[in-house]
Amino acid sequence: MSLRIYGVARTRAFRALWIAEELGLAYEHLPVEIGDAGARTPEFLALNPNGRLPVIADGDFVLSESLAITLYLAKKHSSGKLYPSSLEGEACAWQWSFWAVAEVDRGVNIWSLHAVRLPPAERDAALRDEALKLLAPPFKVLDAALAQNRYLLGPEFTVADLNVAAVISRAAAMDLSVWPNLEAWLTRCLERPAARKVLALKTKSDKETPVEITRRIARINRL
Ligand SMILES: N[C@@H](CCC(=O)N[C@@H](CS)C(=O)NCC(=O)O)C(=O)O
């Protein structure tokens, strides 16, 4: 199989798996774990010197950074559909993708660790509340954008929605009712068959994650 996706589905590999499923690609999933058991081994560091997941190998072409991966695969396989064909549409897909990483990714990660993923006794309510405060302004922006259109770039789902929804998916258990457009859109995105298939994998791997790994994620990323 020429496309390989490295990274356990609990990680940002979820994003690469989701786009591969949307595109109906044949691929091999290698559920590499983070840290010394996986992404920090010399063999893996040769693929991604950052020691982070996900990575893909498309034939001989190796790529890291989850949202670069989704944009690359969408452009390669679905230009004019999941990937916008106009220069402006493409730029808007980049805009929303960079926005999600810059404005939302870290806050959502902190919130999910301290609301859901760490054992209850180790959750820090102050960090969780601070994350909520950080997320409120960008969520308000997203909610307003979605009042105009069913999806971020218009009436159809595109890679821009996939990228932003995948980043926010860690907050799916959050009370999003103050942002009703955002909430309805996130549900629409995550109910797509491709998303549901990969979410099932992600939920399974979440359940199987040893607590030491969750603690390590919080510690080394200072979350
Ligand atoms: N910006 C990168 C971040 C990748 C990243 O941090 N991945 C996490 C898993 S979700 C990881 O591999 N962490 C490694 C570690 O904590 O040692 C991307 O979007 O791909």
Side-chain angles (χ1 to χ4, degrees):
M1 214 161 293
S2 79
L3 177 64
R4 271 165 291 145
I5 300 177
Y6 297 81
V8 61
R10 184 201 71 240
T11 66
R12 289 169 175 84
F14 168 71
R15 304 168 184 180
L17 294 165
W18 183 4
I19 193 71
E21 288 294 332
E22 288 284 352
L23 295 165
L25 302 179
Y27 63 91
E28 184 184 358
H29 179 208
L30 297 99
V32 173
E33 191 42 275
I34 66 161
D36 297 338
R40 304 268 164 173
T41 58
E43 304 77 58
F44 192 85
L45 288 169
L47 289 176
N48 181 7
N50 297 292
R52 290 185 183 270
L53 301 164
V55 171
I56 64 164
D58 190 16
D60 293 332
F61 177 58
V62 175
L63 188 65
S64 58
E65 283 302 320
S66 55
L67 301 190
I69 291 170
T70 57
L71 291 165
Y72 161 75
L73 289 174
K75 184 166 187 172
K76 178 170 176 181
H77 297 285
S78 189
S79 191
K81 201 164 173 257
L82 280 182
Y83 196 89
S85 50
S86 71
L87 182 61
E88 292 79 6
E90 177 177 61
C92 288
W94 297 344
Q95 171 200 282
W96 279 112
S97 304
F98 292 135
W99 175 88
V101 172
E103 304 288 339
V104 180
D105 206 7
R106 185 172 168 82
V108 162
N109 229 333
I110 294 174
W111 181 86
S112 77
L113 276 167
H114 294 281
V116 182
R117 290 153 69 197
L118 281 167
E122 296 171 35
R123 294 176 195 165
D124 183 330
L127 280 178
R128 188 187 60 219
D129 294 348
E130 189 56 33
L132 268 181
K133 277 190 209 146
L134 270 177
L135 289 169
F139 278 8
K140 191 172 167 206
V141 168
L142 182 57
D143 190 64
L146 290 163
Q148 320 292 326
N149 280 312
R150 195 168 158 77
Y151 291 105
L152 288 169
L153 306 189
E156 303 298 336
F157 177 87
T158 67
V159 67
D161 299 285
L162 185 147
N163 282 350
V164 179
V167 169
I168 297 184
S169 64
R170 278 268 176 227
M174 188 187 280
D175 177 7
L176 296 169
S177 56
V178 277
W179 305 288
N181 302 311
L182 187 169
E183 187 175 40
W185 160 86
L186 185 63
T187 305
R188 265 197 304 281
C189 293
L190 297 181
E191 279 182 351
R192 295 174 67 82
R196 287 169 73 103
K197 181 171 175 188
V198 184
L199 276 171
L201 262 186
K202 176 175 148 114
T203 305
K204 184 170 178 291
S205 67
D206 262 330
K207 285 197 184 120
E208 290 167 355
T209 302
V211 68
E212 295 72 37
I213 293 209
T214 310
R215 287 190 185 121
R216 179 179 185 279
I217 293 168
R219 192 179 64 246
I220 76 159
N221 295 302
R222 296 183 172 73
L223 298 174

